[in-house]
């Protein structure tokens, strides 16, 4: 069950600073990892999502307003998707 690039969704987008957003996917038959990265490469969040889970909720509490990238990859670091998320006031 290998996802395609359109199978992951970030919602809501944009998200208000201090609120939560979700990264949602089809059910996976392998463990996968979510990285949230700022435009200059700083990793703000790194989470593992287990087999059978369909997503994760991520808090933006303490984050700066701006553009972030959500990167989805499997255990062998193969990237499935990169999505842009905007944090607003």
């Amino acid at each position: 069950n290998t996802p395609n690039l359109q199978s992951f969704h970030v919602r809501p987008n944009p998200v208000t600073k201090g609120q939560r957003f979700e990264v949602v996917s089809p059910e996976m038959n392998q463990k996968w990892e979510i990285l949230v990265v700022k435009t200059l490469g700083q990793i703000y969040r790194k989470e593992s999502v287990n087999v059978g889970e369909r997503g994760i909720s991520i808090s933006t509490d303490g984050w700066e307003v701006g553009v972030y990238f959500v990167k989805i990859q499997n255990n062998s670091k193969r990237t499935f998707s990169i999505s842009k998320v905007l944090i607003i006031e």
Side-chain angles (χ1 to χ4, degrees):
N1 184 12
T2 302
N4 62 40
L5 294 178
Q6 290 78 37
S7 61
F8 292 90
H9 304 282
V10 176
R11 62 184 185 212
N13 192 9
V15 62
T16 304
K17 181 179 175 181
Q19 300 298 309
R20 301 180 81 79
F21 67 92
E22 294 181 316
V23 179
V24 182
S25 77
E27 187 173 318
M28 300 291 289
N29 63 359
Q30 60 184 310
K31 192 171 182 177
W32 48 285
E33 189 172 74
I34 296 173
L35 295 171
V36 181
V37 182
K38 187 75 169 131
T39 53
L40 296 177
Q42 308 101 307
I43 296 175
Y44 270 68
R45 183 82 181 260
K46 182 177 180 180
E47 286 289 331
S48 293
V49 181
N50 293 315
V51 173
E53 291 183 5
R54 295 183 57 92
I56 191 166
S57 178
I58 297 175
S59 173
T60 63
D61 193 35
W63 293 16
E64 301 171 10
V65 169
V67 176
Y68 295 78
F69 294 93
V70 178
K71 181 177 178 180
I72 311 296
Q73 59 189 25
N74 65 9
N75 281 342
S76 60
K77 306 303 181 202
R78 177 172 172 244
T79 298
F80 290 123
S81 181
I82 298 176
S83 298
K84 182 169 61 173
V85 64
L86 181 63
I87 311 297
I88 60 174
E89 284 288 344

